[in-house]
Amino acid sequence: MAALTPRTLTTLAVLSTLALVTTAHADDGPSEPPGTVTSAPPPEVDANSPGLKLAEGATLAPAKVLDIKSVVEDLGGEERREDTNQNVTFALQAEVLFPKDSSKLNPEASSRIQAIADEIKGQKPTTVRVFGFTDNLGSYEHGKTLSKKRADIVHDELARSLGGDITFEVRGYSEDYPIADNSSEEGRRKNRRVEVSFPRGASASDSGTGSETASDQS
């Protein structure tokens, strides 16, 4: 057996130290995944800090209810209902109410309009807006005339059901105020529509008698 020299003893000491270090890491268990950041505890907040108190004479602003909008559209997009804290709006595609380029109601249109009338009766508004819209095909003036005629017809149906205690505002806007992209037929179909909107929860008892119709001139 060869004699151990000082150099040999030094080498063995180093190897022994490495073995101990390796064993120590193995006993510590798995390390944290890369990118793991240990979150620090939340800072302590002094409830009596002057920066958390209102200045002398200051008051909190009145509480404000945010205007929340709810939109429900049937699978075919034929009918769309939009509810906010203030208003209810129904949008019916023209194809479910009228034949193409016509202001004569389809046979099934009356039941859809009656459903809107029933909702109006429940909300008891004093004013109902009936607005007609078209897509951007054809001339603007033709669209204005057609959208106004269609709004007039829907107004007439609603007025027969609701009686004379509501003031109607009737407009025809042609291709103005699109709700979809006119570059596709699907979008144009949504833009060809009649909208019926009214304030939510108004009282009809505050309204005067008689029914008035405000109209745009084509």
Side-chain angles (χ1 to χ4, degrees), residues 133-135 178-182 187-193:
F133 305 86
T134 63
D135 57 29
I179 59 174
D181 189 352
N182 271 314
R188 290 191 293 270
R189 189 182 303 116
K190 289 186 177 182
N191 290 332
R192 298 190 295 264
R193 68 196 190 279

Side-chain angles (χ1 to χ4, degrees), residues 9 46 136 168:
L9 291 173
D46 182 4
N136 64 347
F168 285 90

Side-chain angles (χ1 to χ4, degrees), residues 37-38 68 73 81 125 138 140 143 149 168 185 204 207-208:
V37 178
T38 302
I68 301 174
E73 188 175 89
R81 173 175 176 152
Y140 181 87
K149 286 182 177 179
F168 285 90
E185 175 55 29
S207 174

Side-chain angles (χ1 to χ4, degrees), residues 75-97:
L75 291 178
E78 296 178 347
E79 183 171 330
R80 171 188 174 98
R81 173 175 176 152
E82 181 178 299
D83 289 85
T84 68
N85 295 343
Q86 287 79 34
N87 296 293
V88 179
T89 301
F90 287 92
L92 294 175
Q93 287 185 13
E95 277 80 354
V96 304
L97 297 177

Side-chain angles (χ1 to χ4, degrees), residues 79 81-83 87-90 111-125 128 158 161-162 166 196-202:
E79 183 171 330
R81 173 175 176 152
E82 181 178 299
D83 289 85
N87 296 293
V88 179
T89 301
F90 287 92
S111 61
R112 289 180 177 263
I113 297 174
Q114 182 59 50
I116 296 177
D118 292 340
E119 179 72 17
I120 295 173
K121 291 176 182 177
Q123 297 291 341
K124 299 180 180 178
V128 173
L158 289 172
S161 178
L162 297 174
I166 293 177
V196 180
S197 60
F198 44 90
R200 174 184 295 282

